[in-house]
Structure formats: structure tokens, C-alpha cells
């Protein structure tokens, strides 16, 4: 497990993208991630919701090098930052992880979701050698659900009324989706 965790704490070039682990980000990249995550178009879809104070973000970034079960990467292409992908709650014994992803909201009009998903799937299955990749997505995030389905993820269930939408004063279900290595390799 320790060797596998160390292996995931390096830069990767996957699917035409460079994945830089949060532990290796420079000061400007740390700010870029914070700005993307706090952008209303991204923050709205996070189950934690709301704005993250910069001090809390810096504390989170400072813990990244010690992580053995949560791996976060800033993804870049030739034009700059396109988003963030993550393998969370990595279970080495059962070879599964939970997907985290968001695109750079300042790069409008570009199809960034597909390359981000392709890169994180390659990271999960070719690099980390996982058996399955899971995700949770708000049922009102239809665009993301469609993107996940195009990438091969299947519906597996739901967490009923799991997220409270402050702006709508109502609870939203989280759809559970997943893909196995076999499904990814042989769609």
C-alpha cells in the first residue's frame, strides 16, 4: 500500500493532459485550484457547497504529501489548467476509489469533461490498477450524468435526499454510478 501511494504522488501525462499532484503545485497553481473550486459554477455542485476560505484551502494543500487514500491532481493541457481530477477514499484492498472531478469554469465553450474523465480513468485503471471507480453526482446535474454515461459509467443506486440545496431550500438525491476496469477496457 505505501508503495502504491508513493506511486500516485507523481506527475503523469495521460490522454494528452499533464496531471500534477496537489503536493507539487507551485503558489500560483494552488491559487488557481482555490479559484476554480470556489467559482459558483463549481461550488454549486459540490456536496460541501459554499466557498472555502483560503486558509482552509492552504491547510488542505499542506496535508497532500501525507495522503495515502486521497489523490488530487491539477490537469493541464497546452493552453493551461483545464480542471481537477481526484481518486478519493481509495480502498487498496478492494481496488476501488471514488472519482472527484471539476473543470476550469474560466475556459468556457470548450469540451473539457471528456478529456478529464479519460485521464482519470486511465489513472485509475492503468496506473493505480484499480478494479472499479465509483462516483456520486447530484440528480439535478443532468449534464454531468450524461458525460459520465458517455464515459461508460453505469447507474448503481442513489443516496436519497443526501444534499441540501441552500438556494432552493430542498434536498437532492445523489446518484451513485460506477465503472469496472473490464467495462472500461471493453465498452
Amino acid at each position: 500500500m505505501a508503495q502504491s501511494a508513493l506511486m500516485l504522488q507523481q506527475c503523469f501525462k495521460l490522454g494528452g493532459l499533464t496531471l500534477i499532484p496537489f503536493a507539487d503545485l507551485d503558489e500560483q497553481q494552488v491559487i488557481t485550484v482555490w479559484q476554480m473550486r470556489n467559482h459558483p459554477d463549481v461550488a454549486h455542485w459540490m456536496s460541501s457547497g459554499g466557498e472555502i476560505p483560503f486558509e482552509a484551502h492552504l491547510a488542505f494543500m499542506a496535508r497532500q504529501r501525507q495522503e495515502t487514500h486521497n489523490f488530487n491532481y491539477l490537469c493541464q493541457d497546452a493552453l493551461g489548467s483545464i480542471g481537477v481530477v481526484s481518486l478519493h477514499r481509495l480502498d487498496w484492498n478492494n481496488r476501488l476509489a471514488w472519482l472527484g472531478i471539476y473543470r476550469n469554469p474560466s475556459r468556457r465553450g470548450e469540451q473539457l469533461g471528456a478529456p478529464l474523465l479519460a485521464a482519470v480513468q486511465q489513472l485509475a485503471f492503468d496506473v493505480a490498477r484499480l478494479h472499479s471507480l465509483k462516483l456520486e453526482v447530484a440528480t439535478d446535474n443532468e449534464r454531468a450524468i450524461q458525460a459520465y454515461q458517455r464515459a461508460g459509467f453505469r447507474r448503481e443506486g442513489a443516496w436519497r435526499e443526501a444534499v441540501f440545496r441552500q438556494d432552493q431550500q430542498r434536498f437532492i438525491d445523489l446518484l451513485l454510478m460506477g465503472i469496472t476496469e473490464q467495462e472500461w477496457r471493453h465498452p
Side-chain angles (χ1 to χ4, degrees):
M1 176 175 69
Q3 185 70 9
S4 298
L6 285 175
M7 180 253 323
L8 287 176
Q9 293 179 351
Q10 62 181 314
C11 285
F12 296 97
K13 291 200 181 292
L14 302 170
L17 302 180
T18 301
L19 282 65
I20 308 167
F22 278 10
D24 292 345
L25 298 182
D26 64 30
E27 187 175 328
Q28 184 54 54
Q29 290 168 327
V30 168
I31 292 169
T32 297
V33 169
W34 178 68
Q35 290 170 334
M36 283 192 294
R37 171 55 183 84
N38 278 339
H39 191 282
D41 292 348
V42 173
H44 173 77
W45 299 113
M46 299 294 177
S47 56
S48 56
E51 190 169 313
I52 296 172
F54 190 60
E55 298 75 31
H57 178 70
L58 289 177
F60 171 78
M61 289 295 195
R63 295 189 301 269
Q64 293 302 296
R65 195 158 304 283
Q66 286 74 43
E67 277 292 347
T68 59
H69 294 89
N70 297 290
F71 302 91
N72 302 286
Y73 304 86
L74 175 63
C75 299
Q76 296 185 321
D77 64 8
L79 300 176
S81 300
I82 75 163
V84 167
V85 296
S86 306
L87 298 177
H88 288 269
R89 298 181 276 173
L90 203 148
D91 178 340
W92 295 106
N93 185 51
N94 293 305
R95 296 178 38 222
L96 72 89
W98 291 81
L99 168 73
I101 188 171
Y102 53 92
R103 63 186 297 281
N104 184 345
S106 67
R107 291 188 51 180
R108 299 213 178 266
E110 297 182 60
Q111 299 296 318
L112 302 177
L116 286 169
L117 280 168
V120 75
Q121 286 176 305
Q122 191 175 357
L123 178 70
F125 298 123
D126 282 345
V127 177
R129 302 303 221 185
L130 298 180
H131 172 71
S132 63
L133 187 58
K134 309 291 185 187
L135 66 85
E136 301 164 330
V137 59
T139 53
D140 60 347
N141 193 346
E142 295 170 16
R143 193 169 160 202
I145 293 168
Q146 290 172 0
Y148 297 138
Q149 288 173 327
R150 282 191 303 273
F153 286 85
R154 298 181 184 180
R155 295 173 186 240
E156 295 184 347
W159 298 112
R160 296 181 317 115
E161 297 185 6
V163 175
F164 184 69
R165 289 273 190 251
Q166 188 69 36
D167 58 340
Q168 300 170 3
Q169 290 296 297
R170 67 184 184 112
F171 286 92
I172 302 292
D173 293 352
L174 283 179
L175 179 63
L176 304 176
M177 300 180 79
I179 187 170
T180 66
E181 177 187 14
Q182 183 72 14
E183 292 165 343
W184 178 70
R185 293 195 188 285
H186 307 285

